[in-house]
Amino acid sequence: MKLRISTRNVRKLVSAGLVVVLMLVFSLSADSFWNWRNMGNLFHDAAFLGLIALGLSFVMTGGGIDLSVGGIVCVTAILVSRFGTLGGSSVPGVLAALFAVLCGGAFGLINGVLVTRVRLTEFVTTLATGILYSGLGLLLAYRDNGKLSGVIVPKGIQNESFLSLGEKVGGTGVFLVTYIWIALSAAMYFVMRRTNFGLHTYAIGSHSRSAGMSGVNVRRIKTLGFVISGAFAGLASAMLTANMTAASASLGNNGYEFQGIAACVVGGIALGGGKGDPVNAMIGAIFLQTILNGLLKFNIQAYWSYVIQGVIIIAATAFDTLFGRVTHMLRERRSIAGREAV
Amino acid sequence: MKRAMKIIATILTIALAVSVISSCAPKESDAGDAPVAGGIALSGKDIRNDPLKIAYITLSTAGIGNRMHELAYEEQLSYYPNVDFQFFDGEYNPDRQRQILNECVTQKYDAVIIEAMGTEELNRAIVEAEEAGIPVITMNSGASAIHTLHIEGSDYEIGYKAAELLGEAINGTGNAILLDVPAEQKAMGRMGTGFEEGLAAKFPNIKLLEKPGIANWSQENANTAMRDFLTKYPNPGDINIVYGASDDIAIGAIQAIEAAGRQDEGILVFGNMGYPTGLQAVKNGSMFGTGFSDIYLEDTSSLTLALYFISAGINSISAGYTKTPVISMYVPPITAENIDSYIEVSHWKQVPGVFTS
């Protein structure tokens, strides 16, 4: 029996292989890497980034870009922390998470409407809304007892049900967010690969105009992509806020949008669209977090980790270009050989 | 469809395997001799001979204060070659600090000294570190979770004192601008509050025109803010005094005043921290005064106390603290009158290349 692996799976295997190699290198060189606590932390931190990248994968596969997710994380963190302790009551954690998803989705919808209805470019729109959302987050953070004050007073969240979202599950040592991320990645893989919406996203990412001429509702699919991206950023924000036990107004400055995009690119999602899926985003998030976690073992300064991340993103993009050329060439040859045989 | 189901099944199987294996693995106990809440005593260590690991998690490695941290810890640790001391860059990012704190627990550090970015955001990580038997010492910017020790400068008092000195210098009448700490750190850095309350209490005829928080304590951001205020208040006498929460912020304001050509209006600027740039500015007369936070003393104190906690096997949980002990260190005001004596004793003279006069 001849084993055939599709091109898209080869790319996944390459990224996953690199993750394994990285983990092996760090395991052999650092005592504290390969233990359950560290793995729990690594996958916990990867889950936040992974949720953001998971949402972004829909926008990017559709050939777009969303630079507003950092802003969405910031403003949703403030909103959900206020909602979670609404009127001094303890709103159930699940409801608070759902609220965050809805908020994030609503912010994504604004992006989608601006891009598809007002016809602004995605780059400028999401850059601007990202700044706007971060600003809104700060504005809300400055509000104290209904009044604008000159001070951000950090408020610890006391709602146990909400805080439990940021904890480990039972005695497993694995954080709830990790399970949620894995489950949602699997579900979204199915959505991307097996539903009309997913297939239309690929079509738009490959060639938007052709897709439109073939009857794909480009506006709707693109808008939905932004809604999904925002919703996942909102969910990540709620889980992060629950873990930190407080909303931080500085979350908007953390560059989550670029980390998320980097995770997608490193995982194998094409910046130009049409290639990749949520599993790529998942692998990319694990890859980047493994590097960050591993570098901490050697206390390599932050600027070096940025340099290394940058080089990796360039290498991943270069690899994709080369890989695309090679597979295209092979396909051509096969096609010529097939015609000659006929 | 079948293929998708296979992939989903594979992912779920991996997730299940991870959880099953991890549930069989040793739990918190693998992080060290972890006491449980309520207090199992930690075993103390021989601080002269046992290999020890201490971490210092900064707000950020940007800023000249880190040069003094390096000097202070290097000098002290030359006596303790058995201590592996590591600086970590918090990148002004509570999420990053949280990750680093978790990492310190994983790597079984013996003590952690941290400038916390936010009073609440690191609480869970701090409690986990304490539960793992690690004494956590916060420096200047603290956290609300109970931990082993908080060391801070007398921020409120120096702000109050600056208000007194500046107010007297303009005879209790005029207009003031406060360039405060970043908004999210206002609850911790209380020099601006002290200044504001000092003015209100002592000089009712001095009006506080503006009081923005300066993001990242940055000289550039302070410069921009001051430039805007100089445009908003364009006439001589519109602004009489400026208080900056740090010397970098105050220097940014002075640069803006000079760039606007308004240095002859007699606007008095007061800084804080006693960084070399601030001390030099006081010395050459461009800055009215500054507060002298003795970073060297704070650092060496934190290290000495960390070693004591390690030696005695004490942290907030083993000692059963019900609130975090706080040590407040005096921050004296520096003006033209006493600048020379402070420069003479300042450890900044030992830091190569930062003090030119």
Side-chain angles (χ1 to χ4, degrees), chain B residues 10 13-14 20 46 53 80 90 138 146 148 176 210 263 276 286 316:
Chain B
T10 309
T13 309
I14 292 168
V20 169
D46 178 353
K53 289 167 79 174
Y80 294 97
T138 49
I146 297 169
T148 305
E210 310 281 350
Q263 64 272 31
S286 59
S316 69

Side-chain angles (χ1 to χ4, degrees), chain A residues 10-95:
Chain A
V10 169
R11 181 62 180 84
K12 276 195 196 91
L13 284 174
V14 169
S15 297
L18 283 173
V19 171
V20 172
V21 169
L22 261 181
M23 286 190 166
L24 275 175
V25 169
F26 286 131
S27 300
L28 293 172
S29 53
D31 293 340
S32 57
F33 187 81
W34 196 254
N35 62 60
W36 292 110
R37 188 188 159 83
N38 191 54
M39 285 297 115
N41 284 343
L42 193 158
F43 278 88
H44 171 247
D45 295 334
F48 295 125
L49 178 58
L51 282 173
I52 292 169
L54 177 57
L56 275 170
S57 67
F58 281 82
V59 176
M60 288 177 67
T61 308
I65 194 130
D66 185 355
L67 299 175
S68 71
V69 288
I72 294 176
V73 168
C74 175
V75 67
T76 310
I78 306 289
L79 284 170
V80 77
S81 71
R82 300 284 162 96
F83 180 78
T85 52
L86 203 63
S89 65
S90 288
V91 174
V94 176
L95 200 60

Side-chain angles (χ1 to χ4, degrees), chain A residues 177-190:
Chain A
V177 66
T178 310
Y179 285 111
I180 290 175
W181 170 49
I182 293 169
L184 285 176
S185 293
M188 293 324 252
Y189 179 87
F190 179 79

